[in-house]
Amino acid sequence: MPEVFDNVIVGSGFGGAPVALRLAEHERGGSVLLLERGRRYGPGDFARSPAALSQNFWDPEHRLYGMFHPWSFHDISAVTASGLGGGSLIYANVMIRKPAGWFQDHDGRPWPITRAELDPHYDVAEQMLGATPYPFAQAPYANTPKTKALQAASRALVDDGVGGLDWELPNLAVSFTPGGGEPGRPLGAPGDNLHDRQRYTCRLCGECDIGCNFGAKNTLDFNYLSAAERAGATIRCLADVQHIVAEDDGYRVIYDEHHPGAGGPPTRHEVRAGRVVVAAGAIGSTRLLMRARAAGGLRNLSDTALGTRFSGNGDFLAFALNTKGKIDPSHGPVITSTLRVAPADEGGPEGSRGFYIQEAGWPELANWLVQTSPLGGIASRAVHFVWDELRRRLSHDADTDSSQEISRLIGNGRLADTSLGFLAMGRDTPDGRFTLSERGHLDLDWTWETSRDYLDGVEDVLRQLAKKLGAGYTSSPTYRFGHRLITVHSLGGCPMGTSAHDGVVDAYGRAFGHPGLYVCDGAALPGPVGPNPSLTIAAFAERCARQILLDAGADPPGTLP
């Protein structure tokens, strides 16, 4: 007989983790089963070697059970995560609230939810995630060149009369040594987290986006999920949900249990629950629900809204190359500061919809890739090295000391030291639409053309910033040579609305036409957040969890809306 739970939660990211905790810790929340398709990753488990990195992708059909899951659609690629903690494992830790005036599309269409309704839930999520600004005023954190660079370039634009610019140190979900002490100090005790591993404060290594092997990132497994497991929630990893079927008294959830390294097909399991919370990310949640509707398991889901209002959150990647001063992009967390560019109606540049720009660092490994790329001049250095070697072999009185030649082959590292990534994000047009092929493959009808004015405004400010740094400017190669964008902040697909005509769920994540079914992640957001969306998703999930408890007849503490 199938196991029975009161709640099944699909996904362990910023949507699923808060709901799992709140239901598990409340006596009226009932039993909780959380299903995560990926592995558990504790400190020290993240891939670093070429062999491990080559396997660090998610594609079970080809025996890949890693952390990164890239998608390639028309005009846009997306990167999602697989693992306990979801996107928190690979995000850049930034915690920014969605501006109050942005709870509407750029054309004025209001969202079904407001900033005032989310604010108390923002408070709770920030506390749970240990959100704190980068301690830029204290040594050794004060010596972070990329932070200084964005600050100085921003001030220079303001001095030139560019309006609506606000540089700041946003909250980061990272644990730093208190009082500006030495990085890398022990953090808590191993028993404080579900991995039973020792954590350490931030070592400023720039490896946030490929998994923090020191546990300095306050990823969801160290807070919400550890607390949920202590409160009695059952967490199953490598549990890949395939189908959801509505029944008279609840839902059947069918999932595959993967067996990495063991060989053979996955094991099929089935559980029943009165409530199902879908929180597998914008792409994962949308695909799961579209497949369920197509197969007849969830027939009553909106046929007009499901799959609509996709947004890449305006993600745009660019680079300043050969800056005047040293940048050292691998020093510090990936992102330490942000520049908010206001919309034109709030005093921003003419035509601006509003967006954010952040300095994007990278791990030391990437510096080697930059230095050995064609941009780093490796080809000409290799030619000189070969010529010197031939000349030495042909000479009867050769200098056999090769130190200088090898040093010159490696290069002086200037390009790697004087490059700065820019990650922009903001209010693109949320008009992408997912479709499902007859074979169940997900596709996306999206074009950069409808966000052209937004992208042009972003590039204009980025070029000015690069110029103030004395650097050359280039957008990402995929956009420069093909207008193809890359997003790490996919949103929409199961948008909230006022009815099944314009939404899949309401403002509390409740699915229209299917009582007991909820979508509590970025898929439910009907457009771009603007800044990094993780905190907004967590706050929305906190609000959804409270409503689930109220729907169950519980009396949650406090007076949150």
Side-chain angles (χ1 to χ4, degrees):
M1 294 292 292
E3 292 180 277
V4 178
F5 292 85
D6 295 301
N7 310 276
V8 170
I9 299 172
V10 183
S12 63
F14 288 101
V19 176
L21 172 58
R22 300 311 173 200
L23 297 185
E25 70 181 358
H26 199 284
E27 60 182 10
R28 294 292 297 274
S31 58
V32 175
L33 171 65
L34 184 146
L35 301 174
E36 165 56 50
R37 66 176 182 173
R39 307 171 185 255
R40 292 193 182 207
Y41 293 91
D45 290 340
F46 295 100
R48 290 295 184 268
S49 70
L53 287 170
S54 72
Q55 298 297 303
N56 200 22
F57 297 93
W58 180 262
D59 188 352
E61 290 185 10
H62 295 90
R63 309 296 297 170
L64 293 171
Y65 305 97
M67 189 169 61
F68 292 98
H69 190 176
W71 297 80
S72 181
F73 302 114
H74 179 67
D75 278 359
I76 194 168
S77 296
V79 179
T80 60
S82 178
L84 187 64
S88 73
L89 300 176
I90 65 172
Y91 84 136
N93 321 303
V94 181
M95 305 263 100
I96 301 178
R97 302 188 184 199
K98 180 177 174 66
W102 293 15
F103 279 77
Q104 60 181 9
D105 293 345
H106 69 279
D107 59 4
R109 172 178 168 170
W111 282 26
I113 194 172
T114 68
R115 167 68 179 266
E117 290 170 325
L118 275 188
D119 265 335
H121 305 287
Y122 275 130
D123 292 341
V124 174
E126 286 173 344
Q127 183 178 14
M128 284 294 302
L129 293 164
T132 184
Y134 186 60
F136 189 43
Q138 300 171 328
Y141 310 102
N143 187 27
T144 310
K146 63 181 181 180
T147 314
K148 295 178 180 179
L150 184 59
Q151 181 186 39
S154 304
R155 286 175 174 173
L157 290 188
V158 172
D159 291 343
D160 285 349
V162 179
L165 305 185
D166 183 18
W167 178 91
E168 65 177 353
L169 296 167
N171 280 335
L172 304 179
V174 177
S175 293
F176 302 102
T177 303
E182 180 181 355
R185 291 185 178 178
L187 178 65
D192 292 343
N193 60 79
L194 53 74
H195 303 292
D196 199 25
R197 304 263 184 96
Q198 180 63 58
R199 300 176 64 193
Y200 299 89
T201 57
C202 179
R203 299 192 181 200
L204 309 177
C205 65
E207 296 180 356
C208 309
D209 289 350
I210 56 175
C212 179
N213 269 329
F214 306 107
K217 287 179 63 170
N218 300 331
T219 49
L220 295 163
D221 47 325
F222 292 129
N223 38 73
Y224 278 108
L225 294 171
S226 287
E229 192 169 69
R230 287 194 296 269
T234 300
I235 297 177
R236 293 178 185 167
C237 293
L238 294 166
D240 194 0
V241 175
Q242 301 297 314
H243 198 34
I244 301 173
V245 180
E247 299 184 323
D248 291 340
D249 57 349
Y251 297 88
R252 279 189 295 127
V253 179
I254 296 97
Y255 71 92
D256 287 341
E257 179 188 1
H258 296 296
H259 308 285
T267 305
R268 178 60 58 93
H269 297 275
E270 181 178 303
V271 296
R272 283 191 165 90
R275 284 185 294 271
V276 174
V277 177
V278 179
I283 295 176
S285 293
T286 302
R287 182 176 65 161
L288 176 60
L289 294 185
M290 290 184 78
R291 285 179 170 180
R293 189 181 66 180
L298 297 173
R299 295 180 183 275
N300 294 334
L301 285 177
S302 171
D303 59 358
T304 56
L306 183 60
T308 67
R309 296 190 68 80
F310 168 83
S311 163
N313 202 45
D315 283 6
F316 188 85
L317 181 63
F319 301 91
L321 303 177
N322 292 311
T323 58
K324 282 182 181 178
K326 181 179 178 180
I327 294 296
D328 194 5
S330 299
H331 181 71
V334 167
I335 291 170
T336 61
S337 67
T338 189
L339 174 65
R340 181 181 184 270
V341 182
D345 59 4
E346 295 179 20
E350 183 179 355
S352 170
R353 294 187 186 181
F355 52 93
Y356 286 72
I357 295 172
Q358 293 160 0
E359 23 83 20
W362 47 71
E364 195 65 51
L365 170 65
N367 280 334
W368 283 99
L369 297 177
V370 170
Q371 191 59 23
T372 55
S373 71
L375 286 174
I378 185 62
S380 63
R381 297 199 304 275
V383 168
H384 282 294
F385 180 81
V386 172
W387 173 248
D388 288 341
E389 182 68 16
L390 287 173
R391 188 170 55 185
R392 184 166 54 247
R393 292 193 178 195
L394 293 173
S395 172
H396 295 293
D397 187 21
D399 180 359
T400 55
D401 185 343
S402 299
S403 296
Q404 181 189 20
E405 288 77 12
I406 295 175
S407 174
R408 188 161 57 186
L409 174 63
I410 295 173
N412 60 14
R414 173 168 171 72
L415 180 63
D417 262 355
T418 59
S419 297
L420 179 64
F422 290 127
L423 178 59
M425 61 202 82
R427 304 168 78 190
D428 62 355
T429 303
D431 58 357
R433 187 181 189 100
F434 288 107
T435 56
L436 204 62
S437 73
E438 292 184 0
R439 297 179 60 188
H441 295 306
L442 192 68
D443 199 4
L444 175 65
D445 181 14
W446 183 91
T447 175
W448 65 278
E449 291 278 3
T450 54
S451 297
R452 180 195 288 265
D453 59 340
Y454 160 76
L455 295 168
D456 288 346
V458 167
E459 281 213 279
D460 181 59
V461 174
L462 290 176
R463 286 193 178 93
Q464 294 183 65
L465 288 171
K467 186 176 181 180
K468 293 300 181 184
L469 294 173
Y473 167 83
T474 183
S475 59
S476 66
T478 59
Y479 186 75
R480 185 180 181 187
F481 298 111
H483 286 109
R484 184 177 184 79
L485 293 172
I486 301 173
T487 181
V488 293
H489 298 136
S490 298
L491 300 168
C494 307
M496 65 176 76
T498 56
S499 70
H501 176 72
D502 64 352
V504 176
V505 299
D506 67 10
Y508 295 97
R510 298 176 292 196
F512 295 114
H514 282 286
L517 180 66
Y518 298 78
V519 179
C520 298
D521 64 359
L525 301 184
V529 171
N532 318 65
S534 52
L535 180 63
T536 296
I537 296 171
F540 174 64
E542 286 275 7
R543 186 172 189 260
C544 291
R546 180 176 179 78
Q547 188 60 47
I548 293 172
L549 289 170
L550 289 171
D551 291 344
D555 184 20
T559 57
L560 302 183

